[in-house]
Amino acid sequence: MQRVLILGGTAEARELARLLERDERFHVVSSLAGRVADPRLPVGETRIGGFGGPSGLAAFLSGDGFDVLVDATHPFAATISRNAAIAAAQASVPLIAVVRPEWSPVPGDTWTRVPTVPAAAAELGRRAGEPAGGRALLTTGRQDAHRFTELDDWWFLIRVVDAPSGPLPRNHELLRDRGPYTIESERELMLANRIDVLVTKNSGSALVAAKLAAARELGVQVIMVDRPLPPGGVDTATTAEQAYRALVSQS
Ligand code: NAP
């Protein structure tokens, strides 16, 4: 039986755990960082919390006799992906990454692409007053909300799963919510809050893609934060099913 450790926190990680759990050739353990108070748990065995860097993860892989590591973390979780690549090499365990495709603009979109969340804040800062008292829907997550605290000319609707613990922009409303969303509900949200600009990371997730279609329909501009570079030289699948097939062929 192949022991598989999935670094998770995504829909793809939960789907892969479901596929492996029902296949008797595999024993799967899913790992979550523990960031979210009430996480969506995968089926099967789960552990929660950091490993203590790459060497801690390498020791965990060797100590628990894992045969393969799957990095199915969010495309913006750059540290754990880097740690996974180092740890897999240290522990001599094969690594497969699950990386969903990026979103790309289609006709009708007005995207400004920026490399980081601070760059998204700087871009909004440059646009202060155009329109006067601009209103932004911020979906970059709890950990990044403090990046926008200098922007007093903007009003923010900050959509997060859990409330941020750090400082927040002076003019804001918090919306505690979690996808999936529909185009209708996203359109309604943007209209009701008179949103001018959507700020989002290019997560590529189908569960939260409706905001892009709603923005297109309503002429809402998008500030799109590009993904950090993933570690090189890692075998990559784009879906849970593809990763499952790769694991079956390696077993
Ligand atoms: P990160 O910055 O890449 O990782 C920071 C540290 O958190 C890592 O060094 C590791 O601690 C721990 N960690 C992260 N993912 C882990 C996992 N699956 N299992 C065990 N420990 C983990 O990560 P992040 O951006 O804070 O994201 C944390 C988790 O939330 C990830 O699992 C990711 O899939 C999920 N998530 C992230 C985002 C996002 O926008 N970043 C969005 C949705 C979901 P040690 O060094 O101590 O091992």
Side-chain angles (χ1 to χ4, degrees):
M1 189 183 265
Q2 290 267 302
R3 286 178 64 77
V4 183
L5 178 64
I6 301 177
L7 303 173
T10 59
E12 286 79 359
R14 291 190 293 276
E15 174 60 8
L16 181 58
R18 190 186 68 78
L19 292 169
L20 291 171
E21 184 68 18
R22 66 181 192 190
D23 185 331
E24 60 191 16
R25 289 170 290 186
F26 297 98
H27 177 84
V28 60
V29 178
S30 296
S31 174
L32 301 177
R35 295 275 186 284
V36 177
D38 180 22
R40 288 190 174 125
L41 291 174
V43 295
E45 194 177 328
T46 303
R47 62 154 313 276
I48 296 183
F51 298 94
S55 51
L57 176 54
F60 186 84
L61 287 167
S62 304
D64 280 27
F66 283 100
D67 301 293
V68 56
L69 176 63
V70 179
D71 174 14
T73 57
H74 191 271
F76 281 80
T79 304
I80 188 69
S81 291
R82 193 171 55 242
N83 292 359
I86 298 169
Q90 272 180 13
S92 301
V93 165
L95 169 65
I96 298 176
V98 185
V99 185
R100 52 171 100 114
E102 289 190 325
W103 292 317
S104 297
V106 299
D109 281 332
T110 44
W111 285 19
T112 302
R113 300 182 81 141
V114 292
T116 60
V117 177
E123 175 62 27
L124 270 186
R126 273 193 289 279
R127 296 183 191 186
E130 312 168 16
R135 298 169 72 86
L137 171 58
L138 196 58
T139 65
T140 48
R142 181 169 67 100
Q143 296 181 89
D144 288 311
H146 71 279
R147 306 282 187 186
F148 297 84
T149 47
E150 306 288 307
L151 300 174
D152 291 350
D153 287 345
W154 284 86
W155 178 86
F156 293 91
L157 181 61
I158 305 175
R159 184 162 70 188
V160 280
V161 177
D162 284 335
S165 51
L168 292 175
R170 188 204 297 179
N171 310 307
H172 78 270
E173 188 180 316
L174 268 189
L175 174 61
R176 300 272 309 277
D177 204 356
R178 164 188 268 182
Y181 303 104
T182 63
I183 296 182
E184 292 71 31
S185 68
E186 295 291 56
R187 188 194 301 125
E188 201 174 306
L189 184 76
M190 289 182 195
L191 282 173
N193 290 282
R194 293 176 284 118
I195 296 298
D196 304 302
V197 178
L198 164 68
V199 186
T200 178
K201 292 173 174 170
N202 195 334
S203 78
S205 168
L207 301 182
V208 294
K211 59 190 169 189
L212 300 177
R216 188 181 312 128
E217 265 185 27
L218 298 173
V220 166
Q221 296 176 26
V222 175
I223 297 180
M224 181 63 71
V225 181
D226 283 331
R227 295 177 175 185
L229 276 183
V234 178
D235 285 347
T236 300
T238 56
T239 62
E241 290 73 18
Q242 218 180 71
Y244 172 68
R245 284 197 297 275
L247 289 168
V248 168
S249 70
Q250 283 181 15
S251 67

